[in-house]
């Protein structure tokens, strides 16, 4: 069991470039989440999904898009990266609301 | 979604009990109360959760107030490895999102 796997682990982007972060889980979880964590701060929810084919906005969705075409994968896209999106991104999944969430190890993204 | 209030930081001596409080006065009746912790340079990890009754597991105990407006995470014997940021988060029932407040930075002194 791999749990929650995030790809890539590190990335440096130039302002205006685009990229996609991949989150994969092998636990057959319905719920998946994307967070960002800035230095010294807590986690802020970007987008989440409560099942295959569904997505919803979280607390800070601007500048990001997501897709959940397959139940096991949740993709986070940055169409035009900005320095303000420099952060550590965490993905998580859970079977249902009210159950334990499992987190990936994070993706450290720097936008220069 | 329910909002949470936690102290910014707390200190404990090694091998002593630690009580980490959380206020969630706007919680709905069907929201579970989750606790997660985040060690330095790692993703958050689940600690414990409960609905109404107090809960125990191998990591900690969770004491939930009778009115459910507050809860306390109890580490029975703090170790240096328990130094982390601890977050409480209501979720479940009406709250589909899993959100985190600013958390409590726990420092464990040798």
């Amino acid at each position: 069991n791999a749990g929650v796997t995030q790809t890539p682990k590190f990335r440096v982007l130039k302002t205006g470039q685009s990229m996609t972060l991949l989150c994969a889980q092998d636990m057959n979880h319905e719920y998946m989440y994307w967070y960002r964590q800035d230095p010294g701060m807590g986690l802020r929810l970007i987008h989440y999904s409560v099942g295959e084919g569904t997505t919803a906005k979280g607390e800070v969705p601007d500048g990001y898009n997501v897709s959940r075409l397959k139940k096991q994968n949740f993709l986070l896209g940055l169409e035009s990266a900005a320095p303000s999106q420099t952060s550590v991104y965490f993905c998580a999944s859970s079977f249902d609301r009210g159950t334990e969430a499992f987190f990936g190890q994070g993706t450290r993204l720097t936008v220069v | 979604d329910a909002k949470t209030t936690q102290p910014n930081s707390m200190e404990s001596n090694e091998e002593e009990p630690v009580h980490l409080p959380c206020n969630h006065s706007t919680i709905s009746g069907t929201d579970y109360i989750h606790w997660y912790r985040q060690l330095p340079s790692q993703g958050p990890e689940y600690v414990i959760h409960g609905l109404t009754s107090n809960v125990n597991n191998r990591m900690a105990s969770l004491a939930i107030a009778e009115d459910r407006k507050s809860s306390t995470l109890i580490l029975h014997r703090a170790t240096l490895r328990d130094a982390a940021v601890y977050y409480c988060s209501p979720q479940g029932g009406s709250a589909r999102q899993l959100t985190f407040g600013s958390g409590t930075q726990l420092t464990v002194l040798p």
Side-chain angles (χ1 to χ4, degrees), chain B residues 4-40:
Chain B
T4 61
T5 303
Q6 298 178 255
N8 288 334
S9 62
M10 292 184 64
E11 277 188 358
S12 172
N13 293 319
E14 196 175 9
E15 298 190 3
E16 290 188 355
V18 182
H19 291 233
L20 298 164
C22 180
N23 183 301
H24 32 76
S25 58
T26 60
I27 195 171
S28 82
T30 53
D31 287 350
Y32 285 86
I33 299 156
H34 289 249
W35 282 81
Y36 289 82
R37 73 179 186 181
Q38 188 175 24
L39 280 64

Side-chain angles (χ1 to χ4, degrees), chain A residues 17-98:
Chain A
Q17 286 185 321
S18 63
M19 79 164 294
T20 300
L21 281 68
L22 170 64
C23 177
Q25 53 91 7
D26 61 1
M27 297 172 282
N28 200 35
H29 284 171
E30 293 292 336
Y31 282 55
M32 296 188 75
Y33 314 84
W34 273 110
Y35 298 88
R36 61 176 288 174
Q37 186 171 37
D38 299 331
M41 306 290 287
L43 291 93
R44 292 186 290 171
L45 182 66
I46 305 171
H47 286 280
Y48 65 103
S49 168
V50 300
E52 180 179 313
T54 73
T55 63
K57 293 180 180 180
E59 301 169 296
V60 289
D62 294 342
Y64 304 95
N65 56 74
V66 288
S67 65
R68 184 99 182 266
L69 299 180
K70 293 183 179 181
K71 186 176 184 178
Q72 63 267 34
N73 295 337
F74 196 29
L75 279 64
L76 178 70
L78 286 74
E79 289 187 350
S80 179
S84 60
Q85 294 178 305
T86 294
S87 191
V88 179
Y89 291 83
F90 289 101
C91 175
S93 71
S94 65
F95 182 72
D96 196 355
R97 53 191 176 188

Side-chain angles (χ1 to χ4, degrees), chain B:
Chain B
D1 290 340
K3 301 301 180 187
T4 61
T5 303
Q6 298 178 255
N8 288 334
S9 62
M10 292 184 64
E11 277 188 358
S12 172
N13 293 319
E14 196 175 9
E15 298 190 3
E16 290 188 355
V18 182
H19 291 233
L20 298 164
C22 180
N23 183 301
H24 32 76
S25 58
T26 60
I27 195 171
S28 82
T30 53
D31 287 350
Y32 285 86
I33 299 156
H34 289 249
W35 282 81
Y36 289 82
R37 73 179 186 181
Q38 188 175 24
L39 280 64
S41 301
Q42 294 189 24
E45 64 174 348
Y46 168 82
V47 178
I48 198 166
H49 77 284
L51 185 62
T52 56
S53 303
N54 294 345
V55 184
N56 299 297
N57 67 20
R58 63 175 181 82
M59 290 181 69
S61 296
L62 176 60
I64 302 171
E66 195 169 334
D67 62 8
R68 294 192 0 105
K69 293 184 176 181
S70 65
S71 63
T72 302
L73 178 70
I74 303 164
L75 306 179
H76 295 288
R77 291 184 65 192
T79 70
L80 297 178
R81 289 173 295 180
D82 291 324
V85 178
Y86 287 79
Y87 299 95
C88 75
S89 176
Q91 200 215 10
S94 62
R96 306 182 102 186
Q97 302 182 25
L98 177 61
T99 58
F100 295 84
S102 54
T104 297
Q105 173 71 62
L106 175 65
T107 300
V108 180
L109 304 173

